[in-house]
Amino acid sequence: MEPVRLSKRMAELGLCSRREADEYIAQGLVRVDGQIISELGSKILPNQKIELAKEASRQQANRVTILLNKPVGYVSGQAEDGYKPAATLITAENHFPGDRSGIQFSPSHTRGLAPAGRLDIDSVGLLVLTQDGRVAKKIIGETSELEKEYLVRVSGRLSEEGLRRLNHGLSLDGEKLKPARVWWQNQDQLRFILQEGKKRQIRRMCELVGLRVVGLKRVRVGRIMLGDLPPGQWRYLRSDERF
């Protein structure tokens, strides 16, 4: 049995993200077989018992996840080419009045807030921002199979064969794509359900079958729907909601 980094093992077990694990280890909040481990980079055997102190659980409970209806013109992550990050929209003024989470907005909720997945500058809809590494892993981790659903307005002609290829049969960057579910929502709009999120994937898939995307909106991540959240507004993920 090969030793593994403690932070990696904690992430594998779903206790937290690797970054969070390093924070907890440095704070002396992690025990392995009853012993506090506070040295970063420590290795353990996979069968050793890991426990998080109550303080770590308290810190996790205070981390928030935010659902934003991203408008056009904002980037998902760091500022680029003069465009503002979507996280700059997380202000008291933009808080959705219909938020039923019961959470009071605090400026501390914007610290360490990272996008779990991306939406292009010219795409709109549901963007998840979270302080919780467990949530990010659930949505964009290497083993994630969480569905993402999109409404996609297109121009051009799509044959039956093209529609079949959108569902199963396309490759990007030399890799076969996972099967998708794609069907006509109305005359000029397709509905896509994907289990992966390569860069500009839907736009590139459409190009391969002779279509041009003229509008793209994400309406669902896992079991969380965009619903009636207005563009540019956000709300907290409620305690009874799960991706």
Side-chain angles (χ1 to χ4, degrees), residues 90-110:
I90 311 306
T91 63
E93 294 73 28
N94 293 333
H95 191 181
F96 178 44
D99 189 333
R100 294 185 288 115
S101 66
I103 301 172
Q104 193 78 26
F105 174 67
S106 162
S108 66
H109 295 161
T110 63

Side-chain angles (χ1 to χ4, degrees), residues 3-221:
V4 293
R5 280 180 75 108
L6 174 55
S7 57
K8 182 182 180 187
R9 183 65 181 144
M10 289 169 69
E12 285 173 352
L13 293 171
L15 296 172
C16 55
S17 70
R18 290 178 73 161
R19 180 177 57 79
E20 288 167 344
D22 283 337
E23 288 175 18
Y24 297 146
I25 292 165
Q27 292 175 59
L29 300 177
V30 181
R31 289 179 183 267
V32 176
D33 291 344
Q35 297 291 312
I36 292 175
I37 303 291
S38 57
E39 188 179 329
L40 293 177
S42 295
K43 293 192 172 186
I44 65 164
L45 294 173
N47 60 354
Q48 289 185 273
K49 184 182 179 185
I50 302 171
E51 292 173 286
L52 277 178
K54 284 182 180 173
E55 172 58 24
S57 301
R58 239 190 323 270
Q59 287 182 27
Q60 284 184 324
N62 289 332
R63 290 190 165 132
V64 297
T65 295
I66 283 171
L67 312 174
L68 168 70
N69 187 347
K70 187 188 90 65
V72 167
Y74 287 83
V75 292
S76 302
Q78 298 297 316
E80 54 184 79
D81 299 330
Y83 291 100
K84 288 183 179 178
T88 59
L89 292 168
I90 311 306
T91 63
E93 294 73 28
N94 293 333
H95 191 181
F96 178 44
D99 189 333
R100 294 185 288 115
S101 66
I103 301 172
Q104 193 78 26
F105 174 67
S106 162
S108 66
H109 295 161
T110 63
R111 286 199 286 274
L113 202 58
R118 54 177 289 132
L119 273 177
D120 299 325
I121 289 169
D122 40 7
S123 299
V124 303
L126 182 57
L127 181 66
V128 180
L129 301 137
T130 187
Q131 294 177 324
D132 192 332
R134 296 168 302 174
V135 172
K137 185 181 178 191
K138 174 80 75 177
I139 297 172
I140 56 172
E142 287 178 17
T143 57
S144 174
E145 294 189 344
L146 216 59
E147 289 184 347
K148 288 96 175 174
E149 186 169 346
Y150 303 81
L151 291 174
V152 184
R153 282 194 300 116
V154 293
S155 65
R157 293 178 63 84
L158 180 65
S159 66
E160 284 297 317
E161 171 63 13
L163 183 59
R164 188 193 66 74
R165 289 178 65 213
L166 283 175
N167 278 272
H168 188 43
L170 292 178
S171 297
L172 288 177
D173 305 323
E175 287 181 30
K176 273 192 177 301
L177 295 176
K178 290 181 182 177
R181 282 186 281 153
V182 186
W183 66 96
W184 283 107
Q185 180 70 15
N186 53 45
Q187 274 191 317
D188 66 349
Q189 192 167 233
L190 290 162
R191 189 175 287 266
F192 276 70
I193 297 179
L194 305 179
Q195 284 185 303
E196 58 193 332
K198 292 183 182 294
K199 191 171 182 181
R200 298 182 76 82
Q201 178 170 336
I202 290 176
R203 294 175 191 277
R204 293 164 71 198
M205 287 173 72
C206 286
E207 284 170 11
L208 290 172
V209 294
L211 294 176
R212 187 173 71 85
V213 171
V214 293
L216 190 151
K217 180 180 186 179
R218 183 155 62 208
V219 295
R220 177 171 67 89
V221 175

